[in-house]
Amino acid sequence: MAEKPMSPFGELAPQTPASLSDIKKNIYGRYLEEFNVGDIYVHPRQFTVDRSFAQEFATVFMDANPLYLSAEYAKAHGFADLLVHPLMVFNLALSIGVQNNSEKALANLGYYNAQFLLPVYPGDTLSSRTKILAVDDKGPDKPGIVHVRTLCLNQKNEVVLQYERKIMIYQSNGKPKGNPKPGDASAFFPESKTPALKLPNLKFPTEMKDVTWGHTYFENFKPGQIYVHQNGRTITDEHYQWTFRVGNTHPLHYDKLYSAGISGPMGGEPVVYGGLVFGWLAGMASRDISENAIWELGFTEGYHTQPAFSGDTVTCISRILTTEDKGTEYGIPAGEVQIQFIGLKNIKANDALDKFGADLFLKENDKKKLGKEKIPEKIFEIERRLIIKKQP
């Protein structure tokens, strides 16, 4: 142990003249022309997810699946401990990369090919890194689109999550740029076009059946079913703190001066970070859909179609697309269920279904070519795929 005697230090500022000749204004984030296809960004910062943080996320985001709440339940099913919620893993991975990927972004356009590959447990340390797949430059007067793939790694450099997203970003057009760390195309980036899911030897503890309700087993789901989730969730200024907690550094989500300077639908008040919106929506649906899920395989074709703000109340609807009996492929009797998931704001899910009917399930970006109006109350759409165990 190093020891050094400590003594009080005196005040220096009053007798030190202020010089304005050496002013530092660090600028973070990248404009469109600063992205190069093939570059890999190793993002600064890591997060160790302790037990209290993991359980707090699961409860604040209202998830009913005991895999994220009860260590005894998770262990009885063959996991080493309770699981860190997949959307917590996703939010941390995305947010760690914001400083490199999207701190100058106008909007996040979508999530694609998200695959959760390995359990994350309390005590694991997560980091992320991103590869630039494509840059679509539409000219200096229009925002371009950057397509990226991000890997989330644990402390063993194992990939626990792989996903893609598309980001809308302007060119700098004379605005001051920062000095971000250059990308390195040779950096370690263990991506795979055919990634493998690695689960422990799962168990089927029938004595735990009373921990969940009996209407969310694989057998309960049929293609074509529409689940109208009955509860809403009013988002408060809590979203500022959760933006910080998962490490998102985009000022659009917490800086009122920044937000006030933006024109259009994203301007005015800070926008709720979309990953948090996704988390609240998924949590509200969990009692009906995922309470007996044993794994979130992933999601794709996900879009935030409208922003959410503090004070908005979000609601949701799920539509069952396919069910596929997997026998004991995962070690216990289970099947896969693919779901179209719709998020709404400031309208009850019952009322939205009555008002918009089947149009709710049309992609918002397809509405124009179909001669239909976009739905202003619809804020989110995505497809999820879950492994759900069978009735004990």
Side-chain angles (χ1 to χ4, degrees):
M1 176 184 293
E3 291 189 17
K4 183 179 185 299
M6 298 295 290
S7 59
F9 60 89
E11 185 180 32
L12 296 178
Q15 61 265 29
T16 304
S19 170
L20 303 183
S21 63
D22 189 9
I23 296 175
K24 307 294 186 184
K25 297 181 180 180
N26 290 333
I27 298 172
Y28 298 96
R30 284 177 164 86
Y31 289 104
L32 186 70
E33 68 268 28
E34 297 178 277
F35 292 90
N36 299 298
V37 173
D39 273 358
I40 294 170
Y41 303 138
V42 180
H43 304 307
R45 288 176 287 281
Q46 298 178 335
F47 279 73
T48 298
V49 184
D50 64 24
R51 183 174 302 274
S52 62
F53 193 13
Q55 288 187 298
E56 185 182 11
F57 185 96
T59 54
V60 166
F61 289 84
M62 305 173 65
D63 208 285
N65 189 323
L67 288 176
Y68 315 129
L69 302 167
S70 165
E72 294 308 309
Y73 181 91
K75 290 176 182 178
H77 283 76
F79 294 101
D81 201 343
L82 65 83
L83 295 176
V84 177
H85 197 294
L87 283 178
M88 183 178 192
V89 175
F90 172 72
N91 271 291
L92 288 169
L94 190 156
S95 296
I96 290 170
V98 165
Q99 180 173 306
N100 271 322
N101 299 338
S102 58
E103 196 162 320
K104 289 286 187 282
L106 178 65
N108 178 64
L109 294 181
Y111 311 123
Y112 310 88
N113 304 321
Q115 297 165 313
F116 295 95
L117 303 174
L118 199 66
V120 176
Y121 298 113
D124 282 349
T125 297
L126 301 180
S127 60
S128 71
R129 50 190 64 202
T130 293
K131 182 178 183 179
I132 308 305
L133 301 181
V135 179
D136 183 5
D137 188 341
K138 300 178 183 297
D141 298 327
K142 294 182 179 180
I145 298 172
V146 180
H147 185 182
V148 307
R149 177 178 294 128
T150 294
L151 306 182
C152 182
L153 308 178
N154 65 16
Q155 66 275 14
K156 300 176 184 177
N157 275 337
E158 299 168 322
V159 180
V160 301
L161 165 64
Q162 177 174 302
Y163 71 92
E164 297 173 21
R165 69 179 180 127
K166 293 182 180 179
I167 311 162
M168 180 182 289
I169 305 178
Y170 274 107
Q171 292 186 19
S172 60
N173 291 326
K175 294 179 181 177
K177 299 179 184 180
N179 185 29
K181 181 180 177 181
D184 179 1
S186 65
F188 176 67
F189 196 78
E191 64 184 326
S192 173
K193 293 183 179 179
T194 56
L197 169 62
K198 297 178 182 178
L199 292 177
N201 294 323
L202 296 178
K203 301 175 183 177
F204 198 61
T206 56
E207 72 276 7
M208 305 289 283
K209 65 180 182 179
D210 291 334
V211 177
T212 61
W213 282 49
H215 60 279
T216 57
Y217 291 105
F218 175 74
E219 296 93 332
N220 297 110
F221 298 104
K222 307 296 179 188
Q225 291 172 334
I226 294 175
Y227 285 79
V228 184
H229 309 298
Q230 294 300 298
N231 285 357
R233 173 63 152 83
T234 301
I235 300 172
T236 70
D237 284 352
E238 66 194 304
H239 77 90
Y240 295 133
Q241 285 77 21
W242 276 101
T243 299
F244 305 150
R245 293 212 70 189
V246 297
N248 193 314
T249 57
H250 199 308
L252 179 67
H253 304 308
Y254 55 82
D255 182 341
K256 289 189 175 185
L257 294 177
Y258 179 94
S259 300
I262 297 176
S263 59
M266 303 295 281
E269 288 292 313
V271 174
V272 181
Y273 162 43
L276 303 181
V277 174
F278 187 6
W280 274 306
L281 293 169
M284 285 189 296
S286 64
R287 292 190 300 179
D288 296 330
I289 297 294
S290 59
E291 188 178 37
N292 277 299
I294 56 171
W295 193 254
E296 178 109 25
L297 282 166
F299 48 82
T300 196
E301 295 296 322
Y303 309 96
H304 296 284
T305 56
Q306 297 286 343
F309 300 92
S310 182
D312 284 344
T313 298
V314 295
T315 58
C316 55
I317 295 175
S318 295
R319 180 166 71 112
I320 307 303
L321 299 174
T322 63
T323 60
E324 186 177 351
D325 191 328
K326 290 295 183 178
T328 57
E329 183 177 323
Y330 292 107
I332 64 172
E336 295 181 10
V337 179
Q338 189 152 329
I339 302 160
Q340 184 183 15
F341 190 45
I342 304 297
L344 304 152
K345 72 174 182 179
N346 301 329
I347 186 171
K348 292 182 178 179
N350 292 321
D351 295 341
L353 191 61
D354 290 343
K355 182 176 180 180
F356 301 112
D359 283 359
L360 276 173
F361 305 102
L362 298 175
K363 283 188 176 181
E364 293 300 284
N365 286 341
D366 292 343
K367 294 280 179 70
K368 185 175 181 180
K369 66 183 180 184
L370 296 172
K372 294 180 177 290
E373 295 293 324
K374 291 187 176 183
I375 298 173
E377 294 93 338
K378 184 177 173 183
I379 62 171
F380 188 59
E381 55 190 10
I382 206 164
E383 292 192 21
R384 307 170 65 189
R385 195 168 179 91
L386 304 173
I387 304 173
I388 300 178
K389 68 180 182 179
K390 292 183 179 179
Q391 179 84 40

